[in-house]
Amino acid sequence: MLPANQTSKSTASKCLLVVAKSARMLVRMCLDIGYDVVAVDCYADSDTFAMAKRVVKVSSLALSDITAVIEELRQVYDFAGLLYGSGFHVIVTGK
C-alpha cells in the first residue's frame, strides 16, 4: 500500500504524524516548532510533499481508508505524537 522508500524504523523522537483532509498548514506549524512530520491527507499537494518527511494520500479520512496506512507508518516511524486536523468532524457527525 505504501511506497517502499523507507526500510528501517526512524529513530527520530521528534516526528509527528499529522492526519487531516488537508495537512499542509499543520505540517508547516509542526516544522516551525522543530518537529519532523509524516502526513496523511486527501490532497497530498506539492507544498506538503516539499515540507514533510513523507506524505500518503488517502481517498478519505474514514477509518477504513486510514487504519492500514497508519499501521504501516507506525512500523517505519517512531512517532512522538499524533495531530489530527479538519475532516474528522464529517465522519463523526455525518455533516
Side-chain angles (χ1 to χ4, degrees):
M1 177 176 277
L2 299 177
N5 63 351
Q6 198 75 28
T7 56
S8 62
K9 194 164 186 173
S10 171
T11 57
S13 61
K14 287 194 72 165
C15 186
L16 293 176
L17 174 61
V18 173
V19 181
K21 188 150 185 124
S22 175
R24 182 185 344 161
M25 178 197 63
L26 295 173
V27 169
R28 174 80 264 158
M29 181 189 70
C30 293
L31 289 174
D32 287 348
I33 61 172
Y35 284 91
D36 290 326
V37 181
V38 173
V40 175
D41 82 6
C42 298
Y43 299 102
D45 62 43
S46 60
D47 290 336
T48 306
F49 267 102
M51 293 184 288
K53 287 181 74 128
R54 186 152 172 195
V55 179
V56 179
K57 183 176 181 179
V58 292
S59 57
S60 80
L61 297 181
L63 287 177
S64 59
D65 289 333
I66 65 171
T67 301
V69 169
I70 292 171
E71 286 303 316
E72 287 184 47
L73 289 170
R74 290 180 66 216
Q75 297 301 311
V76 177
Y77 298 95
D78 185 20
F79 295 114
L82 165 69
L83 178 62
Y84 63 92
S86 65
F88 286 100
H89 66 284
V90 174
I91 296 164
V92 174
T93 65
K95 295 181 182 179

